[in-house]
């Protein structure tokens, strides 16, 4: 029995997304309450009771649920309401007009991730309208602040109202986009994400006159060594299970990449050589894979000096370090300090800005199996692979609480895969109406089957 597309919701889900885009929730400042109120209003039309919770005025999240009989585990449909800024001058359309044009809904959040919010709301409405009695409780939460780290949204909810959002399983963003290879689709499910270690390094020196460099101790030169060392550092390769499954899944389908990927899987220590070669063909994918294989460190901010003719006594830089599942921020910091041991440690200070542990959910769960089943029923030739996200999502808060979280926003690459990825936080973000129907249909079937 193939999973059918639910075409009759096309207009409704399109309007939901278009309305959400028109409510500007650029973070900062966020102002998500307006979007949360809009969702509460539309959900109440279908008989849902909604709760609007604000971490601070204006920073609202909305929660509603369909109560289950308790015979099955609970499920949370999660999304975030805020978006990153969009510069109208760079766009070909107004990013906050919610324009529907040429079969697409255009605007900031069309992919990341108001489309998923619209799909999840549509799924809840359909469950209600079809009088589905779930065996486990299904909660919907559309939250504030993901784009700035989630502390005023999902993080706050988990801390302050854990009973309202706790669930055995969570479906969120971070995966679901199909990679088309040789006419077949490989669907991704985000099962892991890297941890974050943001830190600041302060290099100290002795000031002096710019005309006599030798008499001073220039903090910029010291920082130069730090940036050089950390920015070019290639940490040890480590093949975590999600990445291993991902790469073997791709290798199975993609004959061109098969040889290189199989070699890499057998000899992870040769990964850099293999990927250097691979990068000559497809740099974006090669670098994405490289970042999945190790801890990375990137200098992102540097500041030093106050005047043309003063040799500065201070220079500071900020680094964005991402660690793999299985690694922890403390060990990462030790490795980093070790790298700098020859650069006059007394004149270098470290300060941690933010540290989040990596998070991971196993693929051997009933929900993962059901994702595979539903996708295969819809498209028998497709395959499903887990992915490790090099960035972060709100899933980490829920994994910490013990939930099994999957990033699964089902979408077809009806514009080239790479183009879709570029639109996220980029320009002319848009999603096809067909994809809205596709995503809603897959999610509805998944939830209905899993929860009854
Ligand atoms: Zn997002």
């Amino acid at each position: 029995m193939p999973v059918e597309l639910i075409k009759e919701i096309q207009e409704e889900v399109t309007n939901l997304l278009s309305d959400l885009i028109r409510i500007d929730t650029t973070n900062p400042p966020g102002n998500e309450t307006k979007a949360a109120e809009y969702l509460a209003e539309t959900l109440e039309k279908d008989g849902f009771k909604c709760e609007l919770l604000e971490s601070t005025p204006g920073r609202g999240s909305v929660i509603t649920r369909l109560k289950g009989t308790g015979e099955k585990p609970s499920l949370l449909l999660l999304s975030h309401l805020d978006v990153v800024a969009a510069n109208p001058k760079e766009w070909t359309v107004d990013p906050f007009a919610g324009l529907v044009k040429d079969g697409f809904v255009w605007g900031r959040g069309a992919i990341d991730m108001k489309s998923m919010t619209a799909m999840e709301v549509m799924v809840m409405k359909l469950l209600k309208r079809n009088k589905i009695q779930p065996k486990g409780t299904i909660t919907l939460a559309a939250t504030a602040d993901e784009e700035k780290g989630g502390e005023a949204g999902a993080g706050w909810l988990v801390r302050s109202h854990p009973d309202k959002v706790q669930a055995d399983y969570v479906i969120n963003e971070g995966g679901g986009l199909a990679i088309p290879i040789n006419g077949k689709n490989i669907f991704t499910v985000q099962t892991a994400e890297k941890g974050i270690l943001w830190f600041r390094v302060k290099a100290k020196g002795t000031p002096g006159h710019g005309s006599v460099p030798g008499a001073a101790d220039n903090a910029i030169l010291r920082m130069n060594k730090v940036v050089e060392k950390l920015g070019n550092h290639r940490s040890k390769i480590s093949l975590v299970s999600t990445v291993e499954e991902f790469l073997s899944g791709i290798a199975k389908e993609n004959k061109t990449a098969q040889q290189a990927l199989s070699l890499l899987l057998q000899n992870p220590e040769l990964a850099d050589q293999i990927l250097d070669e691979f990068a000559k063909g497809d740099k974006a994918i090669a670098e994405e894979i490289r970042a999945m294989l190790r801890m990375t460190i990137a200098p992102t901010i540097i500041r030093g000096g106050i005047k043309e003719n003063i040799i500065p006594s201070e220079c500071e830089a900020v680094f964005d370090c991402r660690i793999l599942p299985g690694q922890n921020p403390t060990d990462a910091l030790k490795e980093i300090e070790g790298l700098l041991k020859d650069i006059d440690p007394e004149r270098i200070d470290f300060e941690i800005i933010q540290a989040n542990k990596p998070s991971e959910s196993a693929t051997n769960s009933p929900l993962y199996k059901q994702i595979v089943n539903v996708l295969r029923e819809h498209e028998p030739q497709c395959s499903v692979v887990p992915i490790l996200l090099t960035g972060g999502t709100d899933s980490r808060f829920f994994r910490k609480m013990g939930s099994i979280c999957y990033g699964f926003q089902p979408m077809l690459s009806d514009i080239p895969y790479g183009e879709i990825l570029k639109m996220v936080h980029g320009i002319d973000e848009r999603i096809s109406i067909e994809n809205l129907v596709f995503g809603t249909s897959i999610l509805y079937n998944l939830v209905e089957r899993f929860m009854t």
Side-chain angles (χ1 to χ4, degrees):
M1 189 53 199
V3 171
E4 304 279 349
L5 295 179
I6 312 167
K7 296 216 173 89
E8 58 273 22
I9 51 91
Q10 176 171 312
E11 199 181 324
E12 196 174 356
V13 71
T14 302
N15 289 339
L16 270 171
L17 174 58
S18 172
D19 288 350
L20 278 170
I21 290 171
R22 274 197 296 272
I23 304 168
D24 185 348
T25 50
T26 302
N27 183 12
N31 286 325
E32 298 90 344
T33 295
K34 281 192 198 120
E37 280 168 351
Y38 164 80
L39 291 181
E41 202 184 303
T42 175
L43 282 160
E44 275 158 14
K45 281 184 198 151
D46 276 279
F48 283 96
K49 285 199 177 66
C50 298
E51 275 184 283
L52 208 151
L53 299 159
E54 286 184 320
S55 54
T56 52
R59 309 306 306 275
S61 299
V62 66
I63 296 172
T64 194
R65 66 189 94 241
L66 263 178
K67 202 130 178 47
T69 57
E71 296 159 79
K72 278 203 167 184
S74 51
L75 172 70
L76 172 70
L77 301 176
L78 181 68
S79 71
H80 64 81
L81 291 170
D82 61 317
V83 295
V84 295
N87 180 358
K89 283 186 202 134
E90 295 169 345
W91 285 53
T92 57
V93 301
D94 176 352
F96 296 100
L99 197 70
V100 182
K101 186 181 80 145
D102 307 329
F104 285 80
V105 184
W106 298 65
R108 179 57 86 224
I111 296 172
D112 183 13
M113 66 173 293
K114 286 177 167 170
S115 52
M116 178 89 160
T117 309
M119 289 176 201
E120 290 179 342
V121 167
M122 201 63 241
V123 166
M124 294 299 274
K125 284 172 176 258
L126 284 171
L127 291 167
K128 189 97 165 185
R129 288 176 201 171
N130 295 339
K131 303 198 167 47
I132 305 293
Q133 170 57 62
K135 290 189 172 149
T137 295
I138 306 169
T139 304
L140 174 130
T143 63
D145 198 39
E146 193 275 342
E147 298 292 359
K148 290 275 283 172
E151 290 301 330
W156 173 78
L157 282 169
V158 164
R159 267 194 320 275
S160 314
H161 301 281
D163 49 311
K164 293 189 197 290
V165 287
Q166 199 283 327
D168 299 306
Y169 291 94
V170 178
I171 297 177
N172 184 26
E173 65 178 337
L177 178 60
I179 308 172
I181 295 178
N182 301 330
K184 283 191 215 170
N185 279 317
I186 304 185
F187 286 92
T188 56
V189 178
Q190 191 258 56
T191 59
E193 60 188 55
K194 286 179 108 176
I196 291 175
L197 175 67
W198 288 342
F199 62 94
R200 182 178 287 119
V201 178
K202 275 189 185 150
K204 282 174 279 185
T206 312
H209 198 282
S211 65
V212 196
D217 176 16
N218 194 331
I220 288 181
L221 289 176
R222 181 159 294 112
M223 183 56 81
N224 188 34
K225 286 186 198 159
V226 173
V227 169
E228 183 88 11
K229 193 90 192 175
L230 298 186
N232 294 317
H233 177 58
R234 279 184 169 178
S235 187
K236 203 172 147 275
I237 295 278
S238 165
L239 192 57
V240 300
S241 61
T242 298
V243 177
E244 197 172 346
E245 274 186 68
F246 170 74
L247 294 178
S248 12
I250 300 285
K252 227 185 278 165
E253 301 297 338
N254 188 338
K255 301 283 169 260
T256 350
Q258 196 171 48
Q259 210 186 354
L261 293 180
S262 305
L263 191 65
L264 192 159
L265 286 163
Q266 281 153 22
N267 311 280
E269 70 283 359
L270 300 178
D272 282 317
Q273 274 164 268
I274 298 164
L275 290 172
D276 287 344
E277 202 49 44
F278 199 97
K280 291 176 189 163
D282 195 332
K283 190 166 165 64
I285 290 183
E287 293 311 325
E288 188 70 38
I289 295 173
R290 211 193 298 271
M292 291 181 192
L293 293 172
R294 60 156 56 91
M295 164 181 125
T296 58
I297 312 170
T300 49
I301 301 174
I302 185 156
R303 258 186 232 113
I306 43 166
K307 199 172 180 297
E308 291 83 350
N309 60 358
I310 298 176
I311 290 177
S313 59
E314 258 191 33
C315 181
E316 64 167 58
V318 171
F319 295 82
D320 181 354
C321 168
R322 305 287 173 133
I323 56 180
L324 286 172
Q327 301 179 322
N328 68 61
T330 324
D331 292 341
L333 206 62
K334 257 188 223 141
E335 179 175 337
I336 291 160
E337 282 172 334
L339 290 169
L340 301 181
K341 66 179 185 319
D342 299 332
I343 312 175
D344 206 357
E346 283 93 74
R347 309 215 98 181
I348 289 175
D349 278 347
F350 272 96
E351 186 197 327
I352 294 177
I353 300 168
Q354 194 182 322
N356 305 329
K357 287 196 180 126
S359 71
E360 196 169 21
S361 296
T363 54
N364 61 353
S365 77
L367 179 60
Y368 193 90
K369 279 194 200 91
Q370 192 62 265
I371 291 176
V372 177
N373 287 344
V374 168
L375 287 170
R376 286 254 172 84
E377 278 181 43
H378 181 70
E379 189 186 323
Q381 297 300 312
C382 79
S383 56
V384 181
V385 293
I387 53 162
L388 163 81
L389 202 69
T390 52
T393 72
D394 282 339
S395 290
R396 71 175 189 281
F397 297 115
F398 294 88
R399 288 196 179 120
K400 209 169 160 187
M401 253 208 307
S403 310
I404 294 175
C405 300
Y406 296 129
F408 184 58
Q409 177 173 2
M411 268 178 77
L412 298 167
S413 291
D414 51 9
I415 336 181
Y417 182 80
E419 294 298 310
I420 295 182
L421 293 188
K422 259 192 258 166
M423 285 178 202
V424 175
H425 297 200
I427 56 171
D428 286 346
E429 189 177 347
R430 61 193 183 278
I431 187 169
S432 69
I433 293 169
E434 269 173 39
N435 248 334
L436 284 173
V437 173
F438 172 79
T440 309
S441 307
I442 296 293
L443 281 180
Y444 177 78
N445 278 282
L446 174 64
V447 174
E448 199 246 355
R449 280 170 199 214
F450 189 62
M451 300 306 286
T452 55

